[in-house]
Amino acid sequence: MKLTEFKALHQRRQAEHLARHGTCLAERQEDSFDLTLYAVEGFYAEIWRSRGEEHILFIHVFQKPAGLGDYLRLVQLPSGL
């Protein structure tokens, strides 16, 4: 599925697609939100939820690696690299 096709889906369908075809890369917290980052078919999708809630507030979709900046601090390389 291309990015434009994904964006055209209803949010519920987007979440289903991510669950089936996406790879969960990282989770983080920002202010009062829980964020989950997925890689899927040439783009990234970030699911935003209120902290501790299951209901999805929105899904932010992007392709440029610059959008991954907030996740880089979560990456820990093994010692010796």
Side-chain angles (χ1 to χ4, degrees):
M1 177 177 295
K2 295 183 182 194
L3 177 66
T4 53
E5 294 169 316
F6 183 83
K7 285 183 170 184
L9 295 175
H10 184 277
Q11 180 177 284
R12 185 180 74 240
R13 297 284 185 224
Q14 289 178 343
E16 289 171 357
H17 188 78
L18 291 174
R20 287 188 190 124
H21 304 286
T23 300
C24 182
L25 299 177
E27 295 180 344
R28 68 184 181 93
Q29 294 180 335
E30 184 173 312
D31 298 325
S32 62
F33 303 102
D34 290 329
L35 288 76
T36 307
L37 178 68
Y38 289 87
V40 59
E41 303 164 14
F43 60 91
Y44 300 97
E46 193 175 50
I47 295 179
W48 286 67
R49 293 180 170 94
S50 291
R51 186 157 301 148
E53 299 291 325
E54 286 298 316
H55 174 74
I56 296 173
L57 296 173
F58 65 93
I59 299 176
H60 173 236
V61 182
F62 60 96
Q63 286 184 298
K64 295 184 180 182
L68 301 172
D70 290 330
Y71 290 93
L72 292 179
R73 64 181 172 77
L74 302 173
V75 175
Q76 295 184 3
L77 298 175
S79 60
L81 289 181

